[in-house]
Amino acid sequence: MSDARLKPADAWRRFAGTALGAALALLAAYLALAYALDPYDSGRSGLFSAGAVRPQGPRTALAIRGRDPAFTAAIVGNSHVQLIEPAKLSASTGLPFVNLSVPATGPGEQLLVLGWFLRHHPAPTALVIAADEYWCTDDPALPNAKPFPFWLLAERTSDYLRGLMRFSVAQEVVGRIGWLMRRHRKTAPADGWWDYEPDYLRLGYADDPRLVADRETRPPLVPDPHRAGPFPAAAAFARALNGVPAATPVVLVFPPVYAAGLPAPGSARETAERACKARIAEALAGHPLHTVLDWRVDRPEVADARLFFDQTHYRHPLAAEVLRDIAAALARLRANPLGPARD
């Protein structure tokens, strides 16, 4: 029967079927192309891997950084540990470190990043985990405050394929094609080093009166009702540590907070914060080779306003002190692997 003799309903069904078939074919072709190109170099397809990090944000760059065999030790956290320079920590310890910190993330995202690193490094030489106030949430879902590409680190291929069906990812596919075709490609640091000091200085955090006043604001005496316990991140941390070999040194760091941002001694806020830190530290009890470095306490270094941009983002001189503390802790653990230490 010719198209001219088709009933309108039949003609519409044929058109809809043809359009659907074409759309499905285009979708399949796109997914095949995107999977082959592997826009963030997650290692699922090695066809077009360039062995280098294309300039991009840390949320997606961690896919290649976290699986890079050149690094056997990792720093995991957010911007509160971002200024720990991996090359300097590597030089101090003799262990090749990558910094997998991602700004504005909490324990849910960070433990997923840890899992990604362990998936590709089943026997890491050291782990440094930074736990800040976001770990004190009472929400067992450990929700993320900012968008995060959970699909990129997913174990199931189906989850990864669904993630590829995003407009932003399609743009990255096009961008990766252009990057791969360039003879001289721009690259980002392989070890994840990202110095935030220039950004904070440009925004006026060093001398803007309003920002300086914010830095000096004291916190309430009562705790945030959603950070007063229980602390499900501690249980999630304990589960994550089950995948860490007993011979791997694990350093848990509570990053520095400016003195004005610390809870008042004896306040309910201080009690809640102590309880949270204790619960997270207890999660390490099942791992035989660990130590805790608590910089989130009142100590001379955190009283110097010149060492902070705001209450939780510190500057290079203080970052150097924290780095030395981490290196010394790792040296002690590696010299005495028979039991945990606590600082």
Side-chain angles (χ1 to χ4, degrees):
M1 181 183 293
S2 66
D3 291 344
R5 297 174 61 189
L6 284 176
K7 295 180 180 179
D10 293 332
W12 172 249
R13 279 195 292 270
R14 176 177 290 186
F15 170 77
T18 302
L20 178 61
L24 290 175
L26 285 172
L27 177 60
Y30 163 73
L31 284 177
L33 174 64
Y35 190 92
L37 282 170
D38 197 4
Y40 301 113
D41 212 342
S42 68
R44 290 177 173 87
S45 167
L47 294 176
F48 298 96
S49 180
V53 182
R54 185 167 65 90
Q56 60 194 283
R59 280 169 167 72
T60 50
L62 61 82
I64 181 174
R65 287 175 175 145
R67 68 179 187 85
D68 192 336
F71 304 107
T72 62
I75 303 165
V76 178
N78 55 25
S79 58
H80 297 150
V81 75
Q82 180 181 323
L83 220 56
I84 303 301
E85 189 170 354
K88 290 183 178 178
L89 188 56
S90 299
S92 298
T93 62
L95 305 174
F97 268 93
V98 60
N99 193 326
L100 298 177
S101 62
V102 180
T105 57
E109 304 97 295
Q110 292 160 24
L111 293 177
L112 184 65
V113 171
L114 174 61
W116 176 260
F117 183 77
L118 291 173
R119 200 185 314 170
H120 296 280
H121 302 81
T125 53
L127 294 171
V128 177
I129 315 294
D132 59 9
E133 66 270 20
Y134 295 112
W135 283 56
C136 297
T137 177
D138 65 354
D139 190 337
L142 305 180
N144 52 304
K146 300 290 184 181
F148 187 83
F150 292 96
W151 63 272
L152 182 58
L153 308 185
E155 293 192 42
R156 296 188 302 181
T157 301
S158 58
D159 292 334
Y160 177 71
L161 290 175
R162 279 195 294 270
L164 290 176
M165 292 189 293
R166 298 165 182 256
F167 180 70
S168 59
V169 177
Q171 290 178 306
E172 288 297 325
V173 169
V174 175
R176 183 165 180 79
I177 293 173
W179 183 76
L180 288 169
M181 292 178 66
R182 294 189 186 97
R183 185 173 181 180
H184 301 290
R185 307 185 187 107
K186 290 184 178 180
T187 60
D191 65 3
W193 170 236
W194 176 18
D195 181 5
Y196 62 53
E197 276 221 0
D199 297 325
Y200 274 86
L201 289 171
R202 184 173 61 254
L203 292 170
Y205 275 85
D207 49 19
D208 185 301
R210 179 181 58 84
L211 296 174
V212 171
D214 288 343
R215 186 179 63 213
E216 298 296 335
T217 301
R218 300 290 305 184
L221 295 177
V222 296
D224 183 323
H226 295 295
R227 292 181 182 172
F231 307 108
F237 185 33
R239 291 192 296 270
L241 289 171
N242 289 333
V244 179
T248 298
V250 177
V251 177
L252 172 65
V253 181
F254 294 112
V257 170
Y258 179 49
L262 292 171
S267 65
R269 193 179 192 91
E270 183 193 44
T271 299
E273 188 166 297
R274 284 180 179 274
C276 176
K277 290 194 295 183
R279 185 70 185 86
I280 295 168
E282 286 169 6
L284 281 166
H287 187 76
L289 202 57
H290 71 267
T291 192
V292 180
L293 304 178
D294 192 356
W295 277 82
R296 194 181 173 89
V297 292
D298 189 9
R299 51 194 295 170
E301 299 93 335
V302 304
D304 189 346
R306 296 170 299 177
L307 299 180
F308 287 85
F309 285 117
D310 58 23
Q311 291 189 344
T312 60
H313 292 92
Y314 44 95
R315 304 189 64 174
H316 283 300
L318 186 52
E321 292 293 328
V322 177
L323 188 151
R324 280 192 285 269
D325 207 7
I326 294 171
L330 286 171
R332 290 193 297 273
L333 289 173
R334 297 170 71 195
N336 181 29
L338 298 180
R342 188 180 183 96
D343 293 302

